[in-house]
Each structure stands twice: as C-alpha cells, then as structure tokens.
Amino acid sequence: MEVTDIGNKEEGKVWHRKPTPGKGVFDNTVRFLHVAFDTTGDTFLAGDHHGNIYVFDISRNRFRLVQKTGQACTALAFSLRRTTEFLVALADNTIKCFDKDTKQLVSWMRGHEGAVSSISVHSSGRYAISTSLDTAQLWDLDTFQRKRKLNIKQSVGIQRVFFLPLSNTILSCFSDDSIFAWESDTLFCKYQLPVPDCGPKISYKAFAVTRDGKSLAAGGRSNLLHLWCLDSRQLVRVIQMPTQVRTVRQLEFLPDSFDGGASQTLGVLSQDGMMRFINIHTCKLLFHMGSHDNAITTVAVSPNGRHVAAIMDNGSINVYSVQSLTQELNKPPPSQVAVVSGGDADQELSNLKVKVRSEVVQRPAKSSGRRTQVKILRPPAGSTAEDKENELPAGLNKKRLVALLKAFGEYPAKYRMFVWRSLLCLPENHASYSSLTDKGLHSAYLTLHDKYPIKSHKLQRGLQRVLSALAHWAAIFGEVEYLPLIAFPFVKLFQNNPMLCFEVVATVIVNWCQHWFEYFPNPPLNILSMAENVLAHHDKELLQHLVDCGITSQLYVWPLLETLFSEVLTRDEWLRVFDSIFSNHPSFLLMACVAYIICCREPLLLCSQKQDFEYFFHHRNNLDVTAMIKEAYRLMGSTPADIHPRTMLSDFTPLTKDQYPVFNQYPEFIVEYQSREREKIRLQEMEYLRERQEVSALRADFVRRQAEEEACYAQQELLQKAEEQRRNILAQEEEKLTQQRAKLAAMKRELKVKEIQLLDATRSRFFKNQQDLKASQIQELEQEISRKMDLRERETAAAVQDLEVRQMELEAQRKRLEQVRRMLHLTFLPLSQLPLLSPPVTCSPSQT
C-alpha cells in the first residue's frame, strides 16, 4: 500500500513508484466527500469539503486540481456524453457543469430548494436526473434546460431517482418503500414493483442495478436485501446479511467483463463502515473492505470492475484493486449451489430468503506496503504431460470443456466469455496494450466510418481503436482491407473491454489465421487449396459442380474466412460455432468452412450463375448449425493426414504475458511498398484536398460575392420599392395629419367658444353673487339703521319724558320760589337772602 499526500498540490503523480497489487491511499488536509468514475473506469473525480475538485487518472499515474468551487459538493457525475465535462452539486442547492480540460464553467442549473443528494446520468450521457428530498428534476445536458420536474407530497419524501442502464426507464424510490418505473420521454408510469407486506419494514435507503438493467437490489434499516427481476417485475430473493449488519448504507454491483452485464457480485456497505461483497446466487461472502478502525463512508465502483474508490471516515480516499483482493471472481462456476433457507418467516418469504454464509470469507492479508499474498493451486506431482496440456487458467480442464461442448453443443451463455478467456489464455497485458493505444488512431483507419459506416458511435470508436492497435502492433494490419470484417464480431461482443477484444483478435490472427498473409495482398491461396482438397476428398460431385460453373475457392471459401462466418450466421449460431473453433485445433476453422459448404450442397447444386454464388456466400441461408458442427467434427476425424490442414498448421500458441509477440508472417517488402505508396497517395490526396479546398474556397468566395451582389441589387430594388411605399405612406400620413390638424383647430375653436361662454356664465354668476351680497349687506345696514333709529327715538322719548318731568319739577320749584319771593317781598327781605330749594336745571345736548 502506498500513501499519497495531496496537500496543497494542484497536480502531480499518484504513485511515485510502480504500484503493487492492493490499495493506494490519497490523503488530503481537507476531507474528501464524494467520488465518481468516468465511463472508462480509469479516471475518477473527487470533491473535498472546501469545494476543490480533483481528477485522478490511474492509468497515467497523474492527478490534477480542475476546479475550486468555494463550497462543499453534495454529489458528482462524470459519465456525460462530452467526456471532458462533469456535473457537481453544491451546498447552495445548485448544479454546475465544468470542463476538466479548460477548467471553464459550462452551465449553471438552478431549481432545487433542498440539497441535491444524487445525480443519475442516462447511458447516452445526454440526460441527467438530480434528486433532493422534495423533488427530482430531469435535465437536458445538451441545452442544460430542465425538461421535467417530479413533485411529491410533503409527507412522502424521495429516497432516490435514477435511470436504468441501457433503457429509457426512470426508477423512483420513495420513503414509504414504494418503487415506480416511468418512461423518461412521456413520464408514463410503466409499473410498480411489489413490496412484501409481511415481515419487518426495511425502509429502503440504498439501491443498485446491474449493468444490463435486469436486476434491482435494495436495502435499508435491516440486514435483509430485496432482489427483484425487472423483466418479470417480481421479488425473486431476500438475502439475509450477517448479524453484524443492522443498516445498509450503500449497495454497488461489481461489474465483470465476461458476465454480459448480469453482475453476480454485490457490495454491501453497512453501518459498521465495512463493505462486504457477496455472490447474489450462491449467497457466499467473497471478501470485504474496511474495518471498525478504518471505516468507509461511501464508495464508487469503476464501470470495468477493476477499481473501487472508497472515502474513509478520516476523509482520505482508498483505491482498491479488485483483482488483488480475491480470486473468487476468476474461478469457474461451481457445479452445484447450495442455498440455505431462512428461519421461521412467513411462507411466501421463506421460499425467497437465503442467508449469507460467512464461513467461506477470503480476507486479504493486512497490507504493509508489500505484495498481497495469494495462494496458488499447483497440479499434483504425478500429472502427465497430456494433463498439463489440457490444464487451463482458473482450474479449468480443456478435455472436460470439450466433452461438455460435445454433449450440449455450446457453452452456457452466462459463462461463455469466461470459458473463452480461459481457452485463449489471454494474458491481459495492460502495459503493452496501453503502449499501443497511446500511439493514437492509425492513419489507415482515420476514415474508417466512410467505408464501414456503423450506426452505433460506440461500436465505431471501439472498432477504430482495436484496428489502430493492431496496425501499431504489426504494419501489415494497416494494409489488410478485410481486417475490419474479422474484428467487428469481437468488437461487438467485447465492446465494454477493448483490451480483451484486442487480445482475442490478436490470438485469432496468430493461431486461426496462420499463413493468411504470405500471399498478401492476394487471398491465402495455400489455405484455400487446403479447403479445396478437403472438399474434393469428401464431396467430389459438389466440387465438380463448382468447377463447371467457374467458381473457385476464392468465391466459396474466402468469403467465409475473411468474415469469420459473421455474414452467413446469426449471433447465436456464430457463438456456437466459435465455441467449437476455440475448443479445437486451429485447423477446425477450415473444416467448419468445408462443413458449411457440404451442408449447403443441395441449394449450391441448384445454382449456376456467378451472381447467385456470390449472393449465397454473403448472406444468411437456411442452415442447421448443429449439423454443420457435427459435420466439421466428422471432417476433423475422417480426413487423411496427407491433406489434413492439421499437418500444415501449428498448434495453438497463446500470447505471451510480458509482451505481445512480434508478428512478421507476411511479405514485408510488399507491405512496406504498399505503406510507402499509401503514404504517397495520402500525401497526394492531402495535396489534392488542399488544392480542392482552395478551389472550393475561391468558388465559394465567387459564389458568395455573386450572391452578395445579387443580394445587393435585390436589396436596392427592395429599398426603392420600400422608399416609394414609404413616400406614399408619408403623403397619406401628411394628408391625414392635415385633416387631423383641421379637426383639431375646429375643436380648439369650439373649446374656446365654450371656454368664453363658461367665463361669461361664471362672471355673470359672480356679479350676481356680488349684487346679492351687496343687497344683503345693504339690507343688514338698513335693518341696523332702523334699529338704531328706533333706539334713538326711544332714548329721545325717554329724554323728553325726563325733560318734561324736570320741567315739571322746575315749574313746581319756580312756583315755589315765586311763592317764597312773594312771601319775602312781603316781609321786605331781599331776594338774595332767601334760601334756594334746589340747584338750577341744566340739559345735555343729547337731551336737547
């Protein structure tokens, strides 16, 4: 085990020395939170607590800091259609798309109100589903627009929503343990998976689907796992984990290159931080990762099943090599499987429930920086040379396989790839294959899609990659025109593992295509003569008929060989035939060609035209493949030794493990001459294309200028017409404006008259009000005057009365005085001595 401290580095080497099988640890000063592999399985993303996103390339031994988001990520996705782009869900409930090469922000997707817990990408890489607790949203990754939104009741939360592999079906799992399948285009509900009513409630939290999309595993707050078959939509098995497992946190299927997508190994991450890998059919515990002291929080499994990236409880990342952890996955399937039934559960579940047997665990020894110890099974000391020859890797025996093949006619489809890999003794030389693929696409196959158009871009790229590796391995394979026909069936069969595909094709060329290239560029006349000799020995009448019709072996044998029967057989028939070809001597391929011709003798005897024969050997025909294979075995045993191809062809020779062998069984001077001529033609073609491009550019420039002139003239005419039209419109508008102005003047006059009339009426009302006010004031003054006059009259009357009274008093006094004077006079007293009785009377002016 090697530990790499990333620290504050932005790039560097993953390992500073060649890694040994086991695991590698990436340590960081900040805790890692999430990891995600790309489609190749050799590169993965990792995001830490501070929002730093790293890319780790295991095959190139490099890591690089590609983005600083500034906030923690909650989910990652790295399997988009554009392989340099990735999605990261952030703590602010948004999703951003970045380019790992340019480090630029591609798009910013908003819409979630809660934290995004998972991102599922469609197998095409064009669509993605982001899931939060309250909603799930479907995004178009070409336009980065939201297409659909799944809203739910607040009482029912979403556990997970994801795409099923190789289909347009969306699976949604809710907190009430209900599981629904939807059509992604129309969101039509296709079906609901049945959940058992009896037994304990699991409360699903973790889900996993096989690569072929046919099996679903679910687990939760229990040590029980439910396994559904999505084709029949039935619960097929309930697996009981060991008692140490109380809660299942995560489930991941471990892919295998030869299982056809039907993964058998399931990884179960439990609450104790250990991930246990079990076989879902035998219910055996194969191996485990993590421990109580070094617990795992989350894992990601590479699509090719070679690596497992685990984030540990301390925030570091452990990268495990699956091949070094166990040899259980590479062993042949057992002949019998014992299933241990469950305890006293209900009868319905008891038929499905099995327990995981933990006593057969293979635990890797604790790594101390050394190579993991592996126990190797050795043959008995007394084994013979023949037994050693028949012994195959992984404990298989070729004799037993051939006996099984003859009994059933074919190998089990489930284990066919495993058997083929063992029969061909593939070395799985990653280093040598990488050295070939690192050279890039070969110049001979840059335009392969023009000559061999394939609808699937994935198959097109896979075929181009394998052919380029073959051309870099041996120069002749850049010149062989029929090489794509040989390789295509294997590319289609091994499209998920290009290295194994290359090694299978290379093994076929080295062994079953012996002496094919000695007469290059002509067909292998020596091989065709062998087949013709065998046909002459076993069916002279048919050969004579072919000769009479002018048909040579280049027309009835070579089409079968250069396509390896892929044009005349269906997929199942082709697999059955190659089960026998790979299990026998390389000469069996020629015998199979002769057997095909003999089994089709009746329709061939009816043909007489060359076109009919050409059509017959390039199209599928009504043929019993079982009879053809039996005929091939008969030919292998009954053909005389002097004409038997076995005497001319060497025995099977596997590819060497350390390095691929040198292939030089061809006329090198012809290949070199053709290579030089092809390079010369390519340069001439490039020069011609350059000149044609220049002429095209000049012609395009001329056409552009002519179009611009015509467009200019047309535009001028349009402008003149538009000008005239605008002038007419302007005249009409001016006339309308004049009329409107006249109407406006009339309206103004009318308004002025109304205003004057209104002012007159107002002035009249004002004057009238003033007059009324003056009149009322005058009336009030008159009333005041009359009141004062009345008051003055009353005061005058009162004063008159007072004067009259006073006058009367004065008169009385005068009379009294007069009387006194008389009396005094009488007494002869002077008047001045007489006393006055009252003061003299004076009157005020007002009283007067």
Side-chain angles (χ1 to χ4, degrees), residues 201-206 218-225 241-251 268-276 296:
K201 181 178 176 61
I202 292 185
S203 299
Y204 299 132
K205 298 292 182 183
R221 297 177 180 175
S222 172
N223 66 342
L224 299 180
L225 303 178
M241 295 296 293
T243 56
Q244 297 89 343
V245 177
R246 297 190 303 273
T247 300
V248 177
R249 290 183 177 177
Q250 188 176 352
L251 294 174
V268 183
L269 178 61
S270 58
Q271 85 290 338
D272 57 0
M274 297 176 61
M275 192 162 193
R276 299 168 174 87
I296 299 174

Side-chain angles (χ1 to χ4, degrees), residues 148-357:
R148 303 278 184 175
K149 183 178 181 181
L150 174 63
N151 292 318
I152 61 169
K153 298 180 180 179
Q154 295 182 354
S155 58
V156 180
I158 300 177
Q159 290 297 338
R160 193 176 170 192
V161 181
F162 53 92
F163 284 105
L164 288 182
L166 306 178
S167 70
N168 290 328
T169 303
I170 298 175
L171 218 60
S172 61
C173 313
F174 301 97
S175 58
D176 59 353
D177 286 355
S178 60
I179 303 176
F180 293 89
W182 313 81
E183 185 67 31
S184 62
D185 296 332
T186 61
L187 285 188
F188 173 76
C189 183
K190 300 173 66 175
Y191 57 84
Q192 179 181 2
L193 292 180
V195 178
D197 298 331
C198 55
K201 181 178 176 61
I202 292 185
S203 299
Y204 299 132
K205 298 292 182 183
F207 306 90
V209 183
T210 55
R211 285 190 304 165
D212 57 4
K214 295 183 179 180
S215 299
L216 169 69
R221 297 177 180 175
S222 172
N223 66 342
L224 299 180
L225 303 178
H226 286 180
L227 188 66
W228 282 274
C229 176
L230 297 181
D231 288 340
S232 62
R233 303 168 189 174
Q234 297 294 327
L235 181 66
V236 296
R237 178 165 294 184
V238 177
I239 302 175
Q240 184 176 3
M241 295 296 293
T243 56
Q244 297 89 343
V245 177
R246 297 190 303 273
T247 300
V248 177
R249 290 183 177 177
Q250 188 176 352
L251 294 174
E252 293 289 344
F253 277 103
L254 191 63
D256 189 8
S257 303
F258 300 99
D259 57 9
S263 305
Q264 304 178 18
T265 305
L266 177 64
V268 183
L269 178 61
S270 58
Q271 85 290 338
D272 57 0
M274 297 176 61
M275 192 162 193
R276 299 168 174 87
F277 287 84
I278 64 172
N279 187 301
I280 59 175
H281 298 296
T282 62
C283 296
K284 292 170 61 179
L285 188 57
L286 305 178
F287 62 94
H288 73 268
M289 298 186 309
S291 62
H292 296 288
D293 298 331
N294 194 17
I296 299 174
T297 58
T298 183
V299 299
V301 179
S302 64
N304 54 21
R306 296 176 185 168
H307 305 99
V308 177
I311 296 181
M312 313 308 291
D313 193 39
N314 58 5
S316 63
I317 299 178
N318 285 8
V319 180
Y320 295 88
S321 173
V322 176
Q323 184 179 6
S324 65
L325 288 175
T326 179
Q327 289 184 325
E328 185 70 23
L329 301 180
N330 297 324
K331 289 185 178 180
S335 57
Q336 294 181 352
V337 177
V339 178
V340 181
S341 60
D344 300 331
D346 293 341
Q347 184 176 2
E348 180 181 359
L349 285 177
S350 63
N351 296 329
L352 304 175
K353 189 173 180 180
V354 292
K355 292 184 178 180
V356 175
R357 301 197 299 267

Side-chain angles (χ1 to χ4, degrees), residues 492-660:
K492 193 171 183 180
L493 199 62
F494 296 92
Q495 55 182 317
N496 293 325
N497 197 326
M499 185 203 66
L500 290 180
C501 177
F502 168 81
E503 292 187 348
V504 170
V505 176
T507 305
V508 170
I509 291 174
V510 170
N511 293 278
W512 283 271
C513 300
Q514 297 179 43
H515 308 294
W516 279 29
F517 311 102
E518 294 178 356
Y519 294 89
F520 180 81
N522 299 314
L525 301 179
N526 50 350
I527 300 297
L528 301 181
S529 299
M530 295 181 196
E532 190 173 5
N533 292 335
V534 175
L535 180 61
H537 178 78
H538 292 280
D539 199 334
K540 295 182 179 180
E541 180 185 357
L542 178 57
L543 179 62
Q544 188 62 41
H545 173 70
L546 296 175
V547 172
D548 295 340
C549 295
I551 306 302
T552 64
S553 56
Q554 296 186 25
L555 191 60
Y556 64 83
V557 176
W558 184 234
L560 301 177
L561 290 178
E562 68 176 354
T563 61
L564 297 182
F565 297 96
S566 61
E567 287 185 345
V568 298
L569 298 178
T570 63
R571 174 186 171 89
D572 294 337
E573 293 172 346
W574 188 88
L575 292 173
R576 292 176 61 188
V577 168
F578 268 83
D579 283 343
S580 298
I581 291 176
F582 286 157
S583 301
N584 289 276
H585 190 270
S587 60
F588 190 87
L589 177 62
L590 287 178
M591 294 303 185
C593 292
V594 178
Y596 180 87
I597 298 171
I598 293 176
C599 291
C600 297
R601 69 186 313 274
E602 295 182 2
L604 289 176
L605 291 174
L606 298 176
C607 296
S608 59
Q609 300 296 325
K610 183 178 180 180
Q611 295 81 2
D612 296 337
F613 287 102
E614 289 178 349
Y615 182 88
F616 186 88
F617 287 103
H618 286 280
H619 293 81
R620 294 175 183 174
N621 304 290
N622 187 12
L623 174 71
D624 185 1
V625 178
T626 304
M628 169 190 162
I629 296 174
K630 290 182 179 179
E631 179 67 17
Y633 278 108
R634 186 187 69 81
L635 296 178
M636 285 287 290
S638 61
T639 302
D642 55 342
I643 61 173
H644 202 294
R646 182 189 291 270
T647 59
M648 299 293 296
L649 302 178
S650 59
D651 294 336
F652 173 78
T653 303
L655 300 179
T656 56
K657 284 193 174 184
D658 296 334
Q659 191 174 5
Y660 295 139

Side-chain angles (χ1 to χ4, degrees), residues 279-484:
N279 187 301
I280 59 175
H281 298 296
T282 62
C283 296
K284 292 170 61 179
L285 188 57
L286 305 178
F287 62 94
H288 73 268
M289 298 186 309
S291 62
H292 296 288
D293 298 331
N294 194 17
I296 299 174
T297 58
T298 183
V299 299
V301 179
S302 64
N304 54 21
R306 296 176 185 168
H307 305 99
V308 177
I311 296 181
M312 313 308 291
D313 193 39
N314 58 5
S316 63
I317 299 178
N318 285 8
V319 180
Y320 295 88
S321 173
V322 176
Q323 184 179 6
S324 65
L325 288 175
T326 179
Q327 289 184 325
E328 185 70 23
L329 301 180
N330 297 324
K331 289 185 178 180
S335 57
Q336 294 181 352
V337 177
V339 178
V340 181
S341 60
D344 300 331
D346 293 341
Q347 184 176 2
E348 180 181 359
L349 285 177
S350 63
N351 296 329
L352 304 175
K353 189 173 180 180
V354 292
K355 292 184 178 180
V356 175
R357 301 197 299 267
S358 60
E359 62 271 9
V360 293
V361 177
Q362 294 183 353
R363 293 187 176 89
K366 290 187 178 179
S367 177
S368 60
R370 303 292 182 181
R371 183 181 300 272
T372 305
Q373 297 181 358
V374 180
K375 183 178 180 181
I376 301 177
L377 298 178
R378 303 186 181 277
S383 58
T384 63
E386 183 180 359
D387 292 336
K388 291 182 180 179
E389 181 181 352
N390 290 319
E391 287 296 329
L392 297 175
L396 296 181
N397 185 277
K398 188 173 182 179
K399 268 190 174 182
R400 295 180 181 178
L401 287 176
V402 173
L404 179 67
L405 178 63
K406 289 183 178 180
F408 296 97
E410 61 178 329
Y411 292 125
K414 190 174 182 180
Y415 303 108
R416 176 177 279 120
M417 298 300 103
F418 174 80
V419 173
W420 282 15
R421 185 175 65 180
S422 300
L423 289 172
L424 300 178
C425 301
L426 300 182
E428 299 187 21
N429 195 333
H430 296 275
S432 298
Y433 177 73
S434 298
S435 66
L436 296 176
T437 56
D438 289 343
K439 297 178 181 179
L441 295 180
H442 195 271
S443 59
Y445 299 108
L446 292 176
T447 59
L448 180 67
H449 57 278
D450 296 334
K451 190 174 182 180
Y452 296 98
I454 302 175
K455 185 176 181 180
S456 173
H457 296 290
K458 182 178 180 181
L459 286 178
Q460 184 78 48
R461 292 193 301 270
L463 179 61
Q464 203 171 19
R465 189 186 302 114
V466 170
L467 294 178
S468 297
L470 290 170
H472 291 307
W473 176 43
I476 189 174
F477 297 131
E479 309 294 334
V480 178
E481 295 183 354
Y482 55 84
L483 186 62

Side-chain angles (χ1 to χ4, degrees), residues 670-706:
I670 295 179
V671 173
E672 292 176 357
Y673 173 77
Q674 283 197 351
S675 179
R676 289 195 300 269
E677 288 297 317
R678 184 168 56 81
E679 183 65 20
K680 183 178 179 181
I681 293 173
R682 188 180 67 84
L683 294 176
Q684 292 176 354
E685 184 179 0
M686 290 178 62
E687 182 67 19
Y688 166 73
L689 291 176
R690 186 183 62 80
E691 294 178 355
R692 189 177 70 174
Q693 187 176 3
E694 292 179 356
V695 173
S696 299
L698 292 175
R699 182 178 299 175
D701 189 39
F702 172 74
V703 173
R704 180 180 58 80
R705 290 181 179 179
Q706 186 177 8

